[in-house]
Amino acid sequence: MHARRKVYVEGSRPDIRVPFAEVELTGDNPPVRLYDTAGPGSDPEVGLPPLRGPWIAERGDVAPVRGAGTPLAGTEGRRPTQLAYARAGIVTPEMEFVAIREGVAPEFVRDEIAAGRAVLPLNVNHPECEPAIIGKAFLVKVNANIGTSAVTSSVAEEVEKLTWATRWGADTVMDLSTGKRIHETREAIVRNSPVPIGTVPIYQALEKVGGDPVKLTWEVFRETVVEQAEQGVDYMTVHAGVLLPYVPLAVDRVTGIVSRGGSIMAAWCLAHHEENFLYTHFEELCALLARYDVTFSLGDGLRPGSIADANDAAQFAELRTLGELTKVAWAHDVQVMIEGPGHVPMHKIKENVDLQQEVCHEAPFYTLGPLTTDIAPAYDHITSAIGAAMIGMFGTAMLCYVTPKEHLGLPDRDDVKAGVIAYKIAAHAADLAKGHPGAQAWDDALSKARFEFRWEDQFNLALDPETARAYHDATLPAEPAKTAHFCSMCGPKFCSMKITQELKEYAARGMQDKSAEFVAGGSRVYLPLA
């Protein structure tokens, strides 16, 4: 029995309809509503309906026809960003949408965005996107990376990965495509995505110059940013903090520079003996992103790629520069989040969050893991989920998933699911630790179903209902087992919960005798009553 269905909660106007996955429970137990990122479903050839179309049009934020090659002609100087609206005291429909999703007041959402502590990555050219807020005061979000490589994968496969990732709870998706079909892949992904889409523009810029980092120029990069912004990319990773003086700091590392974007920019700096052009042209880039409301994801190009390199001088030098750039972006009303490590042992994780919050002025932190040990290729979704739960508890706003294929190859459909599930567990564990309002209600509902042997409710409340049901049915597939007061672990006579239930029933009878017989697990026990 599958008891999940999509329901909508309406806001102050009919076109604000916020989706939830509602789990119907048996008996007189009330239904449970869960955060839902799956979207309304679509034909990949057609794409999703433009949910935000009317909101964008009302504000006059509509961008030119895609592919025009020029940024918002006729709107020079205009900043249609959620940050600009929040600073002006305006609660946009997007802010109200996420307030309903998060169970908070719209004014609270507005104030967190205005302060720079939260971002709403929503390009005006991505009207299909359902708003999702990223900030430490809100539910911890999970990003899934997908994208073609020069070696394998296709556009259709990546759209399928997108749909698959959002089905299992990905809050944003990054298209990290390389190879010859980057534009086509991104267009298909954006048009079919109900969640914010991120990219790393330097990858496509590198393709345009034949894969040679030395041939990169600001003009090629700028052209690429315009192209991606016109398509509707919501946030972009920009490695503007990899400065020429910092590159030597990474020379003696165990694993050097492991960020693709970081290594590209380091190679350019050394070849030209010049400062990073993303840094020197940063204000121009801010003005460009502001026209589309593209959010900066300031990349950690010098993040540690091994436990030995964690929290070193190169990593933290770049982090401080990202803090300086954050203030520049905010001056242009551009939203900002900061990317973080990487590989960090557990005892060094808190230092990362504390320092980032201090030097980056509480801008949302967005981290890859971190992996807490380097010994588990093929299981790095587990090693990193440990670090992700911890760093989320300390205040990280979004976690970039790691799949079992990390360090080994391009993830497939099964890897995407494994990565998203592992990180949804980590994010929810962090929400519980932070005491996020309502986070424990899901746990309590499942625990109650478990104790009462409501197997179908337990399956349906699970993060992955299909797998939970399959694991149970692997040993007890018969339908009567769905109501039995035991599973195959303990059997009918040794189930602690069954024995506890019988104890509760015995105590509830309120016997006045000094002693009574109690049947536990089929055996008679003589219990004295005080």
Side-chain angles (χ1 to χ4, degrees), residues 77-117:
R78 191 163 189 278
R79 297 174 178 174
T81 73
Q82 294 293 319
L83 177 56
Y85 290 124
R87 285 174 163 176
I90 298 170
V91 173
T92 64
E94 289 90 343
M95 295 177 200
E96 182 181 344
F97 189 103
V98 297
I100 295 171
R101 269 188 148 176
E102 300 277 341
V104 299
E107 292 75 17
F108 178 71
V109 172
R110 178 199 61 201
D111 293 347
E112 287 297 293
I113 294 172
R117 290 188 294 266

Side-chain angles (χ1 to χ4, degrees), residues 70-72 218 221-226 229 282-294 332 334:
T70 56
L72 289 176
W218 161 247
F221 183 84
R222 184 186 187 282
E223 170 193 288
T224 304
V225 168
V226 171
F282 191 75
E283 288 215 58
E284 186 178 346
L285 186 56
C286 290
L288 177 61
L289 297 193
R291 294 177 182 147
Y292 298 88
D293 197 6
V294 174
H332 289 264
V334 179

Side-chain angles (χ1 to χ4, degrees), residues 496-514:
S496 59
M497 290 190 178
K498 180 183 178 183
I499 294 171
T500 304
Q501 280 191 359
E502 292 169 347
L503 277 169
K504 289 179 68 175
E505 291 169 3
Y506 167 76
R509 287 199 292 267
M511 294 183 177
Q512 300 302 313
D513 300 332
K514 293 296 182 183

Side-chain angles (χ1 to χ4, degrees), residues 124-253:
V124 295
N125 278 335
H126 189 189
E128 301 92 342
C129 186
E130 295 175 354
I133 193 160
I134 301 167
K136 64 181 179 181
F138 303 98
L139 292 167
V140 176
K141 303 304 186 294
V142 171
N143 171 71
N145 290 338
I146 62 172
T148 58
S149 78
V151 177
T152 183
S153 192
S154 68
V155 174
E157 285 177 291
E158 295 312 311
V159 172
E160 183 183 20
K161 285 182 191 176
L162 162 74
T163 304
W164 192 237
T166 55
R167 172 185 173 181
W168 295 111
D171 298 284
T172 78
V173 169
M174 290 199 77
D175 173 19
L176 305 184
S177 292
T178 57
K180 302 301 181 184
R181 303 180 70 185
I182 295 177
H183 184 96
E184 180 185 354
T185 302
R186 185 172 54 246
E187 180 68 22
I189 287 173
V190 172
R191 301 284 71 83
N192 286 282
S193 179
V195 301
I197 293 297
T199 61
V200 185
I202 200 71
Y203 295 172
Q204 186 177 14
L206 188 64
E207 291 285 352
K208 291 179 179 180
V209 296
D212 185 354
V214 177
K215 294 180 180 178
L216 282 168
T217 65
W218 161 247
E219 290 72 25
V220 171
F221 183 84
R222 184 186 187 282
E223 170 193 288
T224 304
V225 168
V226 171
E227 174 188 340
Q228 296 192 5
E230 286 182 350
Q231 284 186 289
V233 171
D234 300 290
Y235 66 94
M236 296 183 187
T237 294
V238 177
H239 298 92
V242 181
L243 302 188
L244 184 59
Y246 301 163
V247 177
L249 299 177
V251 169
D252 293 329
R253 283 175 158 185

Side-chain angles (χ1 to χ4, degrees), residues 30-79:
V32 176
R33 285 184 179 173
L34 307 176
Y35 197 106
D36 178 33
T37 64
S42 67
D43 177 350
E45 298 298 320
V46 177
L48 294 171
L51 166 72
R52 298 173 52 236
W55 312 340
I56 295 170
E58 286 171 10
R59 295 192 295 261
D61 295 344
V62 180
V65 176
R66 295 187 186 95
T70 56
L72 289 176
T75 62
E76 288 77 8
R78 191 163 189 278
R79 297 174 178 174

